[in-house]
Amino acid sequence: MNKAGLITKTGKDWTLSLGRFFMTACLLLALSSCGGKQTFVSPGHMNAAELNHRAETAFMTGDYDKSLDLYREALRVNRSMEDTDGIAVSLINIAAAYRKSGDTDNASLTLDSLLEDRTLSYPPNRLSFAAFLKAMLFMDANSYGKASEWADKARSFCGQGACPLNGKLYNLRARIALASKDFASAVTLGTEGLRFNRDLDDRMETANSLRIISEAKAAVGNYKEAGDMLAEALALDKTMGKGTGVHADLMGLGRLALMKGDRTSALVLFRRALAVSEASRDAEGAAEALKMIGQCSTDSEKR
Amino acid sequence: MERKIGFFILTALAGIALVIIFAGLRQDIFTAKDRIYFTSENGQGINEGMAVKLSGFKIGKITSLELDDKAHVKVVMAISRKYMKWIKTDSTARLVKEGIIGDSIIEIIPGSAPAALLKDDGTVPFEREKGISAMVEELKDEIKPVIRDIREIVAYINDPKGNIKATLANVETLSDDLSETGNKLNLLLKDADKAVALNSVKVSGLLDNITSTVGNANKAITVTGKEIPPIMEKVNAGLENLRKTTEEIRKAVEKAAHSIPPLVQKGGETASGVKEIVDSLKKTWPISSFITPPVQKTLDVDSYE
């Protein structure tokens, strides 16, 4: 402090302040470089992404009509920008929504409009997904030959490289083998799918692989392994909060108990499956569980 | 030096005192107030500090709420003395909302001119403005009989064994008869020149037909004449109920209409402003580093379902 009572800075103070300023500036520069390069998203793409998000929410809540409307609007926006990836995504999602609402004809037609379009060049991973969905449609219709054919097409769209759909495709092929009572192939394909799904950390498909292998193992009398796999699938489905998965696992465990002649445990498991399906508003699942409960009761009466 | 410091501190203190006085004046702290009361069955929607208004002017506020022996809520209002000249012994306090979603306030309804002025510690009666749910309930009660009347009328008209249907069937038969008669007349006129004698016989039959048809028509008209007045009475009563209800709805809408457009506009502007701020924030470093740009993705299709 000088004589006038004012605080003055000495030469040393100024050097310190300057040093602090430079350090702060360097720190800010370093932090901004950590942020990385910002991707520019146009208003059109933003709009399409928002529509896609809203449609997905509607789909998840079971409002397929609303979901279809929003995906159609997203398709229009994508077409207005000739965004091939966006167009492919919208068409695949429209087909998925049609499939869920039970309109398989329109689902198939929508996928054909993408797979047969030669005017635009769509990303191979999207075409692969569209082919997989087409295979699922044939699987729904119990056309196992066609389903297998389209599963192969889905793989071929990926080319020589790694295919992100490998896990799903192996599971689908394993289901086809299971439906054709080729249990050995079902186990092999399911195990291969399990490996891919575990690598991708895809819990939903991992649980599917386990369920499929378990079914195949149970069919050849290997109840112990089948039960262990179903228990693991059940734990996975519970962590994901997937009602349909939990129901399928409980039903599988119930059937396994029946195969082993343990009707009491089977009845408990089917009742648990019924409670899950009722809470999930899954009428089909509830009917399946009730049928099995009825079967258990009839068998007990006969005895 | 010390004198200077003393002068500086004094000036600062004087400044602070002026600010306090000014704030006090703004808050009406120094205004003389009278306390008046009202009692409510419950304290729902009434809070301490709530504004008390008269003809839209703030004249005071609620200073306290307390439960009395009957578990009713005694509400104390502090009113600026200069406004007490408008509060009479027959004045009323009402709990109202400013606009549809505005704040609740206590509105003082000025009393009649001949009534005496309310004094300090005086009491005013209290009432609540009807809420939207109460208004809807009232409207529902009004609409119910209208719908019931309309349903009865429609059921009456639609009853296949009812008089209306029977009358319509009679009218249809009558129309068929008339059409047949017309055809016969045409034929008759064509053959008039050739067989006058025969025609005379046919005309006689025709006249019989016409007489019978006219008889039928008379019967049908008589039946219709008897049935229509009660129906028309019901229709009139229904329409009158409908008119009253529409009038009620119109009044309610008119009451609310002036506040809705500015509210909606304000809401829209606010939402737009908030969106702009959020969008700008999203683009600002370092927030932008944590936000992934939205992408379109395919639904996760389950290979087992």
Side-chain angles (χ1 to χ4, degrees), chain B residues 35-41 52-54 59 62 73-79 84 86-95 106-112 115-128:
Chain B
R35 282 148 56 95
I36 59 171
Y37 307 86
F38 68 80
T39 308
S40 168
E41 281 187 7
V52 179
K53 290 192 175 181
L54 186 138
I59 59 167
I62 291 178
V73 180
K74 186 180 176 187
V75 180
V76 184
M77 297 180 285
I79 307 289
M84 284 299 285
W86 285 292
I87 306 177
K88 307 285 179 63
T89 46
D90 59 352
S91 290
T92 317
R94 287 174 69 199
L95 176 67
I106 300 293
E107 186 184 28
I108 300 288
I109 311 293
S112 57
L117 287 177
L118 191 73
K119 289 183 179 155
D120 191 17
D121 281 342
T123 310
V124 284
F126 170 70
E127 61 186 48
R128 286 170 187 272

Side-chain angles (χ1 to χ4, degrees), chain B residues 137-205:
Chain B
E137 277 300 317
E138 271 186 13
L139 277 177
K140 202 169 85 182
D141 292 343
E142 294 268 353
I143 288 167
K144 264 185 187 170
V146 179
I147 292 170
R148 198 177 53 236
D149 285 352
I150 291 170
R151 198 179 288 154
E152 274 177 16
I153 292 163
V154 170
Y156 186 78
I157 292 168
N158 276 337
D159 185 5
K161 291 176 187 168
N163 289 324
I164 296 280
K165 288 275 183 187
T167 308
L168 284 172
N170 280 343
V171 170
E172 204 176 335
T173 316
L174 182 67
S175 153
D176 288 347
D177 283 355
L178 278 171
S179 166
E180 198 183 323
T181 310
N183 290 337
K184 281 181 181 173
L185 263 174
N186 280 339
L187 285 171
L188 196 65
L189 286 169
K190 276 181 190 171
D191 297 339
D193 291 340
K194 291 178 186 173
V196 175
L198 190 64
N199 281 354
S200 68
V201 175
K202 280 186 179 175
V203 166
S204 146

Side-chain angles (χ1 to χ4, degrees), chain A residues 49-93:
Chain A
E50 202 175 302
L51 286 163
N52 182 288
H53 177 69
R54 283 170 56 204
E56 190 182 349
T57 310
F59 184 90
M60 293 302 179
T61 53
D63 191 348
Y64 302 121
D65 288 340
K66 189 181 174 188
S67 171
L68 274 169
D69 286 344
L70 289 162
Y71 278 133
R72 282 193 202 108
E73 184 58 14
L75 176 66
R76 188 193 62 74
V77 174
N78 283 311
R79 280 196 168 135
S80 74
M81 303 180 289
E82 210 185 49
D83 176 353
T84 47
D85 189 60
I87 293 170
V89 168
S90 301
L91 285 170
I92 289 168
N93 289 336

Side-chain angles (χ1 to χ4, degrees), chain A residues 41 46 48 52 56 71 78 93 99-100 129 136 168 171 175 204-205 208 211 215 242 244, chain B residues 275 279 282-283 285 288-291 293-305:
Chain A
V41 184
M46 201 79 123
N52 182 288
E56 190 182 349
Y71 278 133
N78 283 311
N93 289 336
R99 178 176 171 244
K100 269 282 182 184
F129 200 97
M136 288 298 292
K168 281 183 192 291
N171 277 354
R175 279 184 67 200
M204 182 178 80
E205 289 300 333
N208 288 343
R211 211 176 296 123
E215 273 183 62
K242 195 169 174 257
T244 49
Chain B
K275 192 177 180 305
D279 286 347
K282 278 182 184 172
K283 287 172 192 165
W285 182 87
S288 59
S289 318
F290 299 104
I291 294 171
V295 284
Q296 297 184 67
K297 56 178 182 165
T298 51
L299 289 162
D300 198 1
V301 178
D302 189 335
S303 68
Y304 195 82
E305 280 181 358

Side-chain angles (χ1 to χ4, degrees), chain A residues 279-299:
Chain A
S280 317
R281 297 194 180 100
D282 172 13
E284 210 175 308
E288 190 191 352
L290 275 172
K291 190 183 158 194
M292 293 310 291
I293 290 168
Q295 199 175 313
C296 282
S297 309
T298 318
D299 287 351

